Amino acid sequence: ELQGYAGYETVFTLKAWTHAAERTIAVRGIRSFSLPEGAFISASWASGEPGNHTRMVDVRWMAAESQLGLHDMCFEAIDTRLVASEQLCLSVRVLPQPSPPPRFVSPSPGSAEIFFIRERRMLTIEAESPNPYDVLLIEPSAPLMHGQTLSPMQMLEGRVKATDM
C-alpha cells in the first residue's frame, strides 16, 4: 500500500521486462485500468534489446480532498505480440493534508522595500512549510532587469531562501 496526501502529487514508477529466453520479444507498453480521477501515466521509456528489454512508466496523481481513503490502480504490460501480462494492482491511501500551506517569512506580507538607482542593496525572500513533502521554489515571475541577479537558493530545514541583488 502506497500513501499520499490530498493536494500533493503522488508519483511512482512501474517497470516491466522480457525474459532472455524470448529473444525477439520487447515490452511495447504498460497500460492502466481503473485509475482514480486525475491519475495518469506521464512518461514512458525503454531500454535494452528484444529478449532483454525493459519498459518503465511514471504514474502521477494529485488527489483532491474529496478523494480521501483507499484507491486501487491496476496495470498490465503488453509485448510486441500484443500479449498481455497478468494484472498488477496497487492500493494508494490518500490522507488529509498534514499541515497548512507554505508561507512567506520575509519580507512580511504587505511590506514595501525601497530601492534607489546606483545603490547596491539585497532583498532576502524566505518561505517555510511545516510539511516535509513540500518542495519550495522561489523564482521571479518576470525576467530580471539589467543589473539584477538572483542568488542560488538555500534549503534550511524546511525553509528556502533566495537573495535578489
Side-chain angles (χ1 to χ4, degrees), residues 4 7 14 18 26 29 32-33 45 59 61 71 76 78 84-85 89 102 120 157 162-163:
L14 296 173
T18 58
S32 58
F33 299 92
W45 65 99
V59 179
W61 183 33
H71 299 269
E76 68 182 7
I78 305 294
S85 69
C89 292
R120 185 178 175 98
E157 293 186 30
T163 303

Side-chain angles (χ1 to χ4, degrees), residues 9 24 37 49-50 62 64 74 80 87 90 103-104 107 127 136-138 152-154 156-158 164:
E9 187 173 47
T24 61
E37 185 177 340
E49 300 295 324
M62 186 178 303
C74 296
T80 49
Q87 277 191 12
L90 305 170
R103 67 181 186 88
F104 284 104
L136 302 179
L137 179 64
I138 297 175
M153 288 183 285
Q154 304 169 5
L156 306 168
E157 293 186 30
D164 180 13

Side-chain angles (χ1 to χ4, degrees), residues 91-153:
S91 295
V92 178
R93 183 172 303 279
V94 178
L95 303 170
Q97 287 189 2
S99 58
R103 67 181 186 88
F104 284 104
V105 176
S106 70
S108 57
S111 66
E113 298 289 329
I114 299 173
F115 292 87
F116 296 99
I117 296 174
R118 296 189 185 155
E119 182 180 309
R120 185 178 175 98
R121 217 165 143 208
M122 292 175 38
L123 170 68
T124 299
I125 302 168
E126 195 171 357
E128 70 179 0
S129 175
N131 182 348
Y133 295 104
D134 272 345
V135 176
L136 302 179
L137 179 64
I138 297 175
E139 294 182 316
S141 61
L144 295 175
M145 304 294 278
H146 178 71
Q148 292 180 324
T149 60
L150 189 64
S151 68
M153 288 183 285

Side-chain angles (χ1 to χ4, degrees), residues 10-64:
T10 300
V11 181
F12 57 91
T13 302
L14 296 173
K15 179 178 178 180
W17 63 92
T18 58
H19 299 286
E22 301 167 346
R23 298 187 196 282
T24 61
I25 308 301
V27 181
R28 184 176 186 170
I30 298 175
R31 60 185 179 187
S32 58
F33 299 92
S34 69
L35 291 181
E37 185 177 340
F40 62 98
I41 293 177
S42 67
S44 176
W45 65 99
S47 64
E49 300 295 324
N52 187 19
H53 187 257
T54 301
R55 178 161 303 275
M56 292 176 275
V57 297
D58 283 343
V59 179
R60 296 180 175 274
W61 183 33
M62 186 178 303

Side-chain angles (χ1 to χ4, degrees), residues 62-92:
M62 186 178 303
E65 196 71 34
S66 62
Q67 293 176 303
L68 297 178
L70 196 62
H71 299 269
D72 292 323
M73 298 184 190
C74 296
F75 305 90
E76 68 182 7
I78 305 294
D79 69 18
T80 49
R81 301 170 299 178
L82 301 181
V83 174
S85 69
E86 62 185 47
Q87 277 191 12
L88 167 70
C89 292
L90 305 170
S91 295
V92 178

